[in-house]
Amino acid sequence: MPEINRRSFIGAGAAVSGLGLLAACGRTGSAGSPGGALVTPGDAIVDAVEKERAGTGKERAFTLRAAESELDLGGRTVRTWSFGDALPGEELRVSAGDTLKATLENRLPDPTSIHWHGLALRNDMDGVPPITQKAVKPGGDFTYRFIVDTPGTHWFHPHVGTQIDRGLYAPIIVDDPDEPLAYDEEWVVMLDDWLDGIDGTTPDAVLEEVREGMDHGGGGGHGGHGGGEGGMEGMDGGGPMRMGNTLMGASSDLLGGDAGDIYYPLHLVNGRPADDPRTFKADPGARLRLRLINAGGDTAYRVVLGGHRMTITHTDGYPVEHREVDGVVLGMGERYDVLVTLKDGVFPLVVLAEGKDATALGLVRTGSGEAPGKDVRPDELDGKIVHATELKAAPEVRLEKRGPEAEHTIELTGGMGAYDWALNGRRFDHEDPTKGAFTCEQGQRVRVVFKNSTMMWHPMHLHGHTFQIADGGPRKDTVIVLPGQSVKVDFEADNPGQWLVHCHNIYHGEVGMMGLLAYTA
Ligand code: C2O
Ligand code: CU
């Protein structure tokens, strides 16, 4: 029997006693019930703000068909849900200022929606049922129409249940009509952890499995999810231990400990596993812009290009002061743009699933030579990797210093043991979403302090805004908050409505690590 990493046992105990502490302290004032009326997504002010957005008036129309499909994942055929029978779905590309018109055709057996991750758009187009719209029924259509006013690397996915952990995702790239970067080639790379349709498993079954909590035996004991992967199964000696689709002891130094809760049989680069990678071809000497997007459900990825250093130019679509590194680490929902000057040969883009003892792979070919195998581990993996908190916003996107006029401390709470992930000790109530909302007023500078009191890292995401990490840090919409760490972020309250703030670990979010930022009227 494999050894279990001690950290996960200690973690479970600490999480339980942490709850007691929380209860004793009570709730922070800022998280109480909102006093005044809230701006609703259908309010006239939402329309008024849209009219002020810098738009060119040019409309770009797309159709997005969400349906059950059979996908080939490198020799394995899985039945899953996707956009346009492709994985990732076909990239949408618009220019800043364009009006995006996207008709979602729901041909799934369940209601769905599309959330435009990273776009600061009008609230009623944010795709969050039941808050900003009704879920689109099976057989129904819904047209999203809004001005896209900022350039960058973004993506879209449903905001219903665990659907994001199926194949329902695709990039949306917003070009800058005055692009300041010079480069020759561009490769959009979506990273994903995959379990849907493998041995009959679905994300819903996995959610039920983890929801039971590790304290109650968790894992395979509850069966019922087609796979019958019961019992315990070690991976490498000393590595993470698996029970059903639950992982224990997945540990990452970069993430400050516990890396993830879920076992995924596959990790994918643009829909392909490491044994059947995609190849990007270019000329030697070309400057390549990599647009990296983590579409995973429960996996952070460390990304390097063997034999190369990379220059970080953007994170979450916004420019940063350029920084040369060996690799980057992306939490779920995060994006990085990096520039690489390609050497002559064939090089592995290695995507390490943090703490999970698994990789995905892509290849960059500029010349002849044999492609590296699936187990290639370039030295860059142990090189210089920086966290977003160490980066600086580019001068043109830095927020000027002022305020804040409103401040909220959002404590990340809960644990693996009871699987009771929450914000400020309160689980999100989908039936009554505005209860306990964090409020602000239009025009305020708002500070949010994400205070992580759990034993695990969380990628915290805010809809409708791009905050700035305090003291000149990068502009982002999703930020990794390490265990025990507090991350301060500031944003302009310039987009009235009701916006989710949540952990982008889909299983954490679904069980309650989610809240609402609401503008008061
Ligand atoms: Cu990728 Cu609530 O979002
Ligand atoms: Cu989380």
Side-chain angles (χ1 to χ4, degrees):
M1 183 136 120
E3 245 187 276
I4 299 173
N5 184 321
R6 277 174 54 81
R7 200 184 274 275
S8 58
F9 276 138
I10 297 165
V16 170
S17 54
L19 273 181
L21 267 177
L22 251 184
C25 297
R27 186 172 294 165
T28 59
S30 59
S33 282
L38 301 177
V39 172
T40 62
D43 274 351
I45 180 92
V46 170
D47 216 41
V49 167
E50 177 76 346
K51 292 210 165 72
E52 280 165 28
R53 277 190 232 284
T56 57
K58 191 171 160 216
E59 190 172 271
R60 305 287 316 281
F62 302 91
T63 300
L64 300 166
R65 188 169 183 277
E68 271 190 287
S69 47
E70 293 216 326
L71 294 179
D72 167 47
L73 304 179
R76 305 159 192 80
T77 303
V78 294
R79 194 145 188 88
T80 185
W81 300 357
S82 68
F83 289 118
D85 301 323
L87 189 72
E90 197 185 332
E91 163 190 315
L92 302 190
R93 195 171 270 261
V94 299
S95 270
D98 287 352
T99 295
L100 177 76
K101 183 183 174 203
T103 301
L104 165 63
E105 299 177 349
N106 182 9
R107 303 299 174 259
L108 300 169
D110 284 5
T112 192
S113 75
I114 293 179
H115 168 62
W116 309 90
H117 184 125
L119 301 183
L121 43 46
R122 53 182 301 159
N123 191 223
D124 54 353
M125 295 290 125
D126 197 41
V128 181
I131 299 166
T132 66
Q133 69 171 103
K134 288 200 195 82
V136 184
K137 293 205 181 78
D141 294 354
F142 183 90
T143 298
Y144 294 88
R145 190 170 183 281
F146 55 89
I147 296 169
V148 182
D149 64 356
T150 38
T153 303
H154 307 294
W155 62 300
F156 58 93
H157 59 76
H159 225 292
V160 173
T162 61
Q163 290 178 7
I164 188 177
D165 217 14
R166 299 189 187 244
L168 294 162
Y169 61 81
I172 173 165
I173 308 299
V174 183
D175 283 323
D176 188 344
D178 308 304
E179 175 61 57
L181 280 188
Y183 51 92
D184 308 302
E185 302 280 352
E186 196 183 303
W187 191 19
V188 180
V189 174
M190 290 198 93
L191 316 174
D192 191 22
D193 45 16
W194 193 274
L195 52 79
D196 191 35
I198 303 225
D199 297 325
T201 306
T202 66
D204 289 332
V206 170
L207 177 64
E208 285 321 303
E209 181 183 324
V210 294
R211 214 194 264 281
E212 297 287 329
M214 306 285 289
D215 286 351
H216 312 289
H222 297 276
H225 70 287
E229 297 272 19
M232 298 191 178
E233 190 178 325
M235 296 170 74
D236 278 348
M241 197 187 69
R242 173 186 164 199
M243 293 183 294
N245 275 88
T246 310
L247 266 190
M248 288 181 79
S251 184
S252 156
D253 289 343
L254 265 185
L255 299 174
D258 193 355
D261 312 330
I262 312 290
Y263 167 74
Y264 288 87
L266 293 176
H267 296 274
L268 307 175
V269 166
N270 286 343
R272 313 305 292 184
D275 55 11
D276 187 16
R278 292 199 195 265
T279 301
F280 184 85
K281 293 202 180 91
D283 291 329
R287 253 158 89 86
L288 169 66
R289 179 181 194 165
L290 278 170
R291 296 182 183 260
L292 305 167
I293 304 170
N294 184 350
D298 172 81
T299 309
Y301 289 108
R302 188 187 314 192
V303 183
V304 302
L305 181 63
H308 294 76
R309 301 205 87 198
M310 39 180 69
T311 303
I312 301 174
T313 64
H314 295 73
T315 175
D316 296 358
Y318 274 69
V320 295
E321 285 182 5
H322 290 189
R323 182 78 180 263
E324 198 177 289
V325 293
D326 290 301
V328 290
V329 59
L330 295 90
M332 296 77 80
E334 283 191 289
R335 289 87 68 210
Y336 275 88
D337 290 25
V338 301
L339 283 179
V340 188
T341 302
L342 297 176
K343 296 180 177 164
D344 192 348
V346 48
F347 306 98
L349 183 78
V350 175
V351 176
L352 177 75
E354 281 296 323
K356 295 189 176 181
D357 202 14
T359 53
L361 181 69
L363 296 172
V364 174
R365 181 180 283 281
T366 61
S368 55
E370 203 181 316
K374 68 180 170 61
D375 295 320
V376 59
R377 294 287 181 279
D379 291 344
E380 286 80 6
L381 284 170
D382 301 313
K384 175 108 192 122
I385 316 262
V386 299
H387 277 290
T389 47
E390 299 166 65
L391 299 173
K392 294 285 171 207
E396 65 273 23
V397 297
R398 231 171 256 159
L399 295 182
E400 106 238 17
K401 268 211 169 65
R402 71 179 180 95
E405 286 92 38
E407 182 161 349
H408 294 286
T409 296
I410 300 184
E411 189 176 13
L412 318 182
T413 60
M416 234 350 229
Y419 221 78
D420 55 352
W421 305 108
L423 299 180
N424 291 341
R426 201 179 67 80
R427 298 214 210 182
F428 188 68
D429 184 350
H430 291 264
E431 304 303 311
D432 189 4
T434 60
K435 192 168 132 207
F438 305 99
T439 59
C440 65
E441 283 168 36
Q442 191 176 7
Q444 285 179 328
R445 170 67 60 80
V446 184
R447 166 159 289 188
V448 169
V449 183
F450 292 114
K451 181 175 184 291
N452 188 351
S453 303
T454 77
M455 299 296 286
M456 192 174 175
W457 72 286
H458 304 278
M460 295 305 299
H461 173 48
L462 172 64
H463 287 210
H465 304 75
T466 305
F467 51 69
Q468 177 171 4
I469 296 177
D471 305 319
R475 297 286 299 273
K476 286 184 73 56
D477 53 66
T478 310
V479 63
I480 289 177
V481 188
L482 298 176
Q485 188 189 28
S486 283
V487 175
K488 299 187 185 93
V489 304
D490 299 313
F491 63 90
E492 296 288 353
D494 58 2
N495 200 11
Q498 300 183 7
W499 305 99
L500 282 184
V501 50
H502 65 93
C503 177
H504 219 284
N505 180 312
I506 183 57
Y507 299 95
H508 294 187
E510 265 310 287
V511 301
M513 199 172 229
M514 191 158 356
L516 197 70
L517 171 83
Y519 284 59
T520 50

